[in-house]
Amino acid sequence: MTVRGIDHIGLTVPDLEAATRFLADALGAEVLYDTLPADRGPVGGPQTEQRLGVPPGTRQLAIRMLALPDGPGIELFAYHPPGRP
């Protein structure tokens, strides 16, 4: 098997909008789409926890795909961990 390239990487970030601004300013990233728009509300529950392997009570807040000018995409994940206000 030969690796020919990287399609995208995933990063968990505490603030989706701040991370988007940073990557746009620093690397020229552009937003492609939101897989889970922030206004759709948090997604959580046993199915989400099992699928992602996260602790009980974790909620997905948003997911966004960015494109770099000459490189792989960057997928941003924002979570709300259990026990955090």
Side-chain angles (χ1 to χ4, degrees):
M1 183 170 124
T2 303
V3 176
R4 291 191 243 169
I6 298 172
D7 179 68
H8 73 282
I9 62 168
L11 301 173
T12 300
V13 298
D15 183 324
L16 187 78
E17 297 305 328
T20 300
R21 282 190 304 276
F22 171 77
L23 292 167
D25 292 345
L27 303 176
E30 294 183 10
V31 175
L32 290 178
Y33 54 85
D34 288 344
T35 305
L36 175 61
D39 62 359
R40 282 200 0 216
V43 175
Q47 289 178 332
T48 299
E49 295 159 6
Q50 182 179 6
R51 179 173 48 88
L52 299 174
V54 295
T58 301
R59 295 175 290 158
Q60 286 184 299
L61 301 177
I63 303 171
R64 174 171 289 160
M65 182 62 79
L66 305 175
L68 294 177
D70 295 310
I74 299 176
E75 191 171 16
L76 301 177
F77 300 91
Y79 290 96
H80 189 277
R84 184 174 157 199

